[in-house]
């Protein structure tokens, strides 16, 4: 067991060093920066308004983050997997004395560290903005009462809601050699359900916004939006709603299936 | 009596077919088959690579060289046949075997955005090896000066050398190289050849390398296997292949009267005049000597005589043609 953990740690550290020089690192910085800046600009434009609830900042931020999160995950994972494909490294790595499932898992965990980095960076940047706004625009109320716990709970909820995307997209990325294909499939899975629902709404076939949000929950790639949009309706929202737990289970299943598929696949 | 016994024993022993079984084999495959769907790419491949040899794996493009190498490394799964490396079955001892192998499969596999040191460190980390050897390896492959440049700025030769350094990182007992001299300039080919010979001699490392550059295989390898359309058509000692092949050699003679000389040879030899020189196909060196003597005895001057063995190329083509028939 100790040897497996050590081997896993080596694979993860190799993955981090390798990805540091790729677009993956920039993505992990750009995504939090973009989300926080977007919301900050909106709040900056409302700086003179009075009686604003600072908790709304968290809602806005988690909405923005949840909108960009699936795109960020699809791009990050596809780029990370393509690092091996484009340099023909898969043949080299699989000819090394490393059990294939262990490599599959190690690489996944390495990528997940980049996602965790993006998560932490979003929170750090959010605090920085709130600090600056608190000093510069006292009427926004950031200096008086701010719900720190809400910020963490909201972000944990959004990131866990995306559980199934991590492993499904990872499997796609490892399976398909071309970068375009996993990105296109991922993007289609994010956009198409929303586009269809919007068309249904325009056509008058779906008038109820609750139905709209509910429909999105059945697609793992759109679920983070609905998880974020629906959480503020209930102040006592949970980080792990039933559907998130189901998607976490789906995620584990997809990871196991991916590892199994990777183990028996021929490297042509 | 004793001397006779030894002579008989030696002759018998060296000619015994079972001699191959006595000599240890680092790689041994039997009836290896592999295909993509219904298309069988490898047909009953039985390969035997002796320890400490430089084993050339020859064949035209698409013959199955890379596929064989991939099956030896466990990159392709075979349902039929047997693969033993270091005397152990591959599928059940994969980690044990791969720990002792350094490999370079097809094009150089390198992270182009990283420099040479980072590429070596990456493999060292994955193989759980210390980084100490990296400096000396870079020196071995003459990349110390360029070690800090991103690999994307390297020439093909430099990439090949770095790939070789990565393959050598674990001080392997067996080095499997797929087309290591592909894309190298003449200078690079010579450097690679010298490097491989040195590794083989100094580190007692067995080398299996595939190529379709016959001249290099002839210069480098002690043993050879020729594969065509997925089947092994020859394997064994390189010297034996060269000696036992067609036996045909070309003799080029510069004389003071080529036309008179060709008339002298009559129809006994296959001779032509090219660039004022006489080109004759001979079976052996005695025949070459007899031709020169005949010309000189008839009052003609011979300015130069060059005997050129048709070598591996002729043997290769001969075996491929024979296989097609």
């Amino acid at each position: 067991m100790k040897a497996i953990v050590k081997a896993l740690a080596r694979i993860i550290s190799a993955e981090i060093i390798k990805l540091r020089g790729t677009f993956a690192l920039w993505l992990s910085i750009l995504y939090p920066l973009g989300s926080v800046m977007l919301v900050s600009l909106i709040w900056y434009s409302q700086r003179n308004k009075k009686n604003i609830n600072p908790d709304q900042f968290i809602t806005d931020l988690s909405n923005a983050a949840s909108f960009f999160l699936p795109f960020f995950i699809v791009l990050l994972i596809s780029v990370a997997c393509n690092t091996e494909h484009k340099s023909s490294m898969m043949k080299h790595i699989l000819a090394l004395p490393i059990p294939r499932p262990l490599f599959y898992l190690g690489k996944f965990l390495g990528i997940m560290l980049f996602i965790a980095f993006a998560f932490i960076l979003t929170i750090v940047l959010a605090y920085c903005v709130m600090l600056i706004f608190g000093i510069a625009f006292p009427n926004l109320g950031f200096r008086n009462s701010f719900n720190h716990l809400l910020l963490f709970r909201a972000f944990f909820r959004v990131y866990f809601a995306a559980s199934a995307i991590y492993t499904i997209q990872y499997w796609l990325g490892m399976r398909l050699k071309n970068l375009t294909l996993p990105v296109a499939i991922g993007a289609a899975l994010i956009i198409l359900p929303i586009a269809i629902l919007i068309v249904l709404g325009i056509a008058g076939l779906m008038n109820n916004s609750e139905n709209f949000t509910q429909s999105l929950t059945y697609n793992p790639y759109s679920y983070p939006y609905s998880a974020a949009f629906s959480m503020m309706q209930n102040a006592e929202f949970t980080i792990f709603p039933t559907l998130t737990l189901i998607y976490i289970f789906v995620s584990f299943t997809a990871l196991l299936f991916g590892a199994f598929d990777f183990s028996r696949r021929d490297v042509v | 009596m004793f001397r006779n016994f030894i002579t008989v024993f030696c002759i018998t022993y060296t000619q015994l077919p079972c001699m191959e079984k006595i000599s240890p084999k680092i790689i041994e495959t039997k009836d290896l088959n592999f295909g993509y769907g219904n298309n069988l790419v490898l047909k009953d491949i039985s390969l035997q690579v002796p320890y400490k040899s430089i084993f050339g794996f020859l064949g035209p493009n698409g013959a199955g060289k890379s596929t064989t190498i991939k099956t030896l490394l466990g990159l392709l799964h075979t349902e039929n046949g047997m693969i033993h490396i270091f005397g152990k079955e591959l599928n059940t001892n994969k980690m044990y075997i791969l720990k002792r192998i350094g490999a370079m499969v097809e094009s150089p596999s390198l992270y182009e955005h990283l420099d040479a040191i980072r590429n070596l460190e990456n493999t060292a980390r994955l193989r759980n090896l210390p980084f100490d050897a990296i400096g000396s390896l870079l020196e071995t492959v003459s990349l110390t000066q360029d070690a800090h440049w991103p690999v994307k700025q390297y020439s093909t030769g430099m990439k090949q050398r770095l790939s070789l350094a990565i393959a050598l990182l674990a001080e392997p007992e067996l080095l499997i190289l797929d087309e290591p001299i592909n894309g190298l300039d003449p200078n690079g080919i010579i450097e690679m050849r010298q490097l491989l010979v040195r590794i083989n001699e100094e580190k007692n490392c067995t080398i299996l390398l595939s190529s379709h550059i016959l001249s290099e295989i002839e210069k480098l390898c002690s043993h050879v296997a020729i594969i065509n359309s997925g089947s092994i058509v020859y394997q064994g000692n390189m010297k034996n292949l060269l000696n036992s092949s067609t036996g045909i050699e070309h003799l080029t003679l510069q004389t003071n009267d080529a036309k008179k000389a060709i008339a002298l040879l009559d129809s006994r030899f296959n001779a032509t005049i090219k660039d004022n020189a006489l080109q004759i196909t001979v079976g052996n060196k005695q025949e070459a000597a007899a031709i020169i003597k005949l010309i000189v005895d008839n009052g003609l001057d011979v300015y130069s005589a060059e005997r050129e063995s048709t070598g591996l190329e002729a043997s290769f083509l001969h075996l491929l043609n024979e296989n097609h028939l």
Side-chain angles (χ1 to χ4, degrees):
Chain A
M1 190 66 190
K2 207 175 169 183
I4 292 173
V5 173
K6 277 186 176 175
L8 210 53
R10 284 198 306 273
I11 298 166
I12 294 168
S13 73
E15 189 64 21
I16 292 167
I17 287 164
K18 181 179 65 198
L19 287 183
R20 249 179 3 194
T22 65
F23 187 55
L25 179 68
W26 289 108
L27 274 172
S28 314
I29 296 168
L30 284 172
Y31 160 66
L33 203 65
S35 309
V36 174
M37 271 181 71
L38 187 75
V39 178
S40 305
L41 283 172
I42 295 165
W43 275 67
Y44 178 74
S45 66
Q46 298 173 344
R47 63 191 178 280
N48 295 324
K49 280 187 182 174
K50 287 184 179 172
N51 301 323
I52 298 175
N53 181 5
D55 290 352
Q56 184 60 37
F57 181 80
I58 300 166
T59 313
D60 292 349
L61 192 58
S62 65
N63 282 349
S66 71
F67 179 76
F68 292 120
L69 184 65
F71 292 101
F72 162 64
I73 296 168
V74 165
L75 274 175
L76 175 79
I77 294 179
S78 303
V79 166
C81 294
N82 194 251
T83 317
E84 258 77 40
H85 295 313
K86 75 173 178 191
S87 53
S88 311
M89 278 302 282
M90 213 52 105
K91 283 178 284 190
H92 169 72
I93 288 169
L94 297 181
L96 296 177
I98 307 166
R100 285 192 189 192
L102 204 65
F103 175 76
Y104 190 83
L105 182 64
K107 187 174 169 65
F108 175 72
L109 293 175
I111 297 169
M112 287 307 290
L113 284 180
F114 277 75
I115 293 171
F117 168 72
F119 170 84
I120 293 164
L121 190 62
T122 314
I123 289 178
V124 169
L125 288 172
Y127 269 109
C128 290
V129 168
M130 287 187 290
L131 191 73
I132 295 163
F133 278 12
I135 297 165
F137 314 113
N139 58 317
L140 291 176
F142 284 115
R143 292 179 83 175
N144 310 326
S145 58
F146 181 74
N147 193 341
H148 299 278
L149 195 64
L150 182 69
L151 178 72
F152 282 93
R153 286 178 66 206
F155 273 89
F156 271 117
R157 179 167 160 129
V158 169
Y159 273 78
F160 277 112
S163 300
I165 314 177
Y166 304 137
T167 50
I168 295 171
Q169 192 61 35
Y170 180 59
W171 174 69
L172 282 172
M174 292 296 265
R175 199 77 173 80
L176 305 168
K177 282 185 180 176
N178 190 327
L179 175 66
T180 322
L181 215 53
V183 171
I185 294 171
L189 285 169
I190 299 165
I191 296 164
L192 274 182
I194 301 168
I196 291 166
L197 290 173
I198 289 170
V199 170
L200 287 175
I202 292 166
L205 296 168
M206 188 179 276
N207 299 321
N208 193 339
S209 66
E210 260 181 44
N211 283 350
F212 183 88
T213 318
Q214 183 67 31
S215 305
L216 285 180
T217 59
Y218 300 119
N219 171 24
Y221 279 69
S222 326
Y223 179 60
Y225 310 139
S226 51
F229 290 146
S230 62
M231 76 181 168
M232 289 305 168
Q233 292 164 3
N234 177 10
E236 293 301 311
F237 70 87
T238 167
I239 296 169
F240 297 110
T242 314
L243 211 51
T244 300
L245 292 173
I246 291 170
Y247 280 133
I248 289 172
F249 175 74
V250 170
S251 181
F252 273 112
T253 313
L255 187 66
L256 287 176
F257 167 76
F260 173 71
D261 179 52
F262 186 70
S263 308
R264 56 190 288 277
R265 215 174 73 214
D266 284 335
V267 184
V268 182
Chain B
M1 169 98 180
F2 181 71
R3 189 177 288 171
N4 282 347
F5 169 75
I6 292 291
T7 313
V8 168
F9 173 80
C10 286
I11 292 166
T12 314
Y13 186 75
T14 49
Q15 288 178 346
L16 265 176
C18 65
M19 162 65 182
E20 292 297 298
K21 283 175 191 165
I22 294 163
S23 119
K25 301 284 179 265
I26 197 162
I27 298 175
E28 199 164 5
T29 72
K30 199 162 182 251
D31 301 331
L32 199 62
N33 288 287
F34 181 80
Y36 298 106
N38 291 330
N39 178 26
L40 208 56
V41 181
L42 301 182
K43 299 164 199 161
D44 299 326
I45 298 285
S46 295
L47 201 64
Q48 295 188 323
V49 180
Y51 271 94
K52 294 175 188 174
S53 62
I54 301 185
F55 193 95
F57 197 36
L58 272 177
N61 287 335
K65 301 186 295 287
S66 297
T67 309
T68 308
I69 283 177
K70 282 177 188 167
T71 57
L72 293 178
L73 292 168
L75 296 174
L76 298 176
H77 297 98
T78 52
E79 283 168 17
N80 300 323
M82 165 216 98
I83 303 173
H84 275 118
I85 303 178
F86 304 113
K88 290 182 186 286
E89 208 274 321
L90 177 67
N91 285 331
T92 47
N93 301 281
K94 206 168 168 185
M95 292 304 118
Y96 171 89
I97 290 167
L98 291 180
K99 263 184 194 168
R100 286 154 184 80
I101 293 181
M104 189 174 136
V105 189
E106 286 173 335
S107 54
S109 301
L110 300 162
Y111 293 114
E112 301 238 325
H113 63 286
L114 300 179
D115 61 25
I117 295 173
R118 286 268 182 272
N119 267 288
L120 281 157
E121 280 178 2
N122 192 281
T123 302
R125 194 169 271 121
L126 291 172
R127 293 193 88 134
N128 195 20
L129 298 169
F131 295 169
D132 314 348
I134 288 174
S136 64
L137 270 173
L138 285 168
E139 217 170 282
T140 309
V141 296
S142 316
L143 281 175
T144 313
Q145 298 288 320
D146 309 289
H148 291 285
W149 292 106
V151 168
K152 62 184 163 205
Q153 294 179 11
Y154 280 17
S155 67
T156 313
M158 289 161 87
K159 285 180 186 171
Q160 297 274 43
R161 294 208 302 270
L162 180 57
S163 277
L164 185 64
I166 290 172
L168 289 171
L169 201 58
E171 295 188 3
E173 294 162 48
L174 171 64
L175 201 54
I176 297 180
L177 308 170
D178 191 6
E179 308 274 6
I181 44 181
N182 249 14
L184 296 184
D185 58 21
N187 213 22
I189 291 175
I190 295 166
E191 277 178 23
M192 183 65 88
R193 190 202 310 148
Q194 288 168 344
L195 188 60
L196 292 177
V197 169
R198 212 167 69 220
I199 291 162
N200 175 253
E201 284 172 357
E202 289 174 9
K203 312 215 171 193
N204 280 331
C205 178
T206 309
I207 301 173
L208 166 70
L209 65 106
S210 78
S211 183
H212 53 255
I213 304 175
L214 303 176
S215 55
E216 276 313 304
I217 292 279
E218 190 176 351
K219 282 174 197 156
L220 188 62
C221 298
S222 59
H223 293 74
V224 69
I226 296 173
I227 184 170
N228 188 32
S229 306
S231 304
I232 298 277
V233 293
Y234 174 86
Q235 73 173 308
N237 197 298
M238 175 69 85
K239 278 181 193 161
N240 290 349
L241 173 66
L242 296 175
N243 293 338
S244 69
S245 61
T246 57
I248 293 168
E249 293 175 346
H250 293 299
L251 181 68
T252 307
L253 291 181
Q254 290 280 357
T255 63
N256 57 342
D257 192 342
K259 282 181 186 168
K260 197 174 173 187
I262 204 166
L264 277 173
L265 296 174
D266 201 18
S267 58
R268 281 176 291 172
F269 298 99
N270 179 16
T272 51
I273 298 171
K274 195 181 173 190
D275 298 333
N276 230 12
L278 207 57
Q279 291 199 325
I280 313 149
T281 307
V282 293
N284 50 48
K285 56 187 175 187
Q286 284 78 15
E287 231 171 53
I291 289 167
I292 296 167
K293 192 169 185 296
L294 179 72
I295 293 169
V296 173
D297 287 351
N298 281 279
L300 295 175
D301 295 331
V302 175
Y303 303 137
S304 73
E306 267 178 67
R307 194 164 60 90
E308 191 186 318
S309 170
T310 48
L312 185 60
E313 193 177 315
S315 309
F316 180 72
L317 292 172
H318 176 73
L319 282 164
L320 292 196
N321 290 335
E322 204 173 53
N323 186 244
H324 271 299
L325 295 170

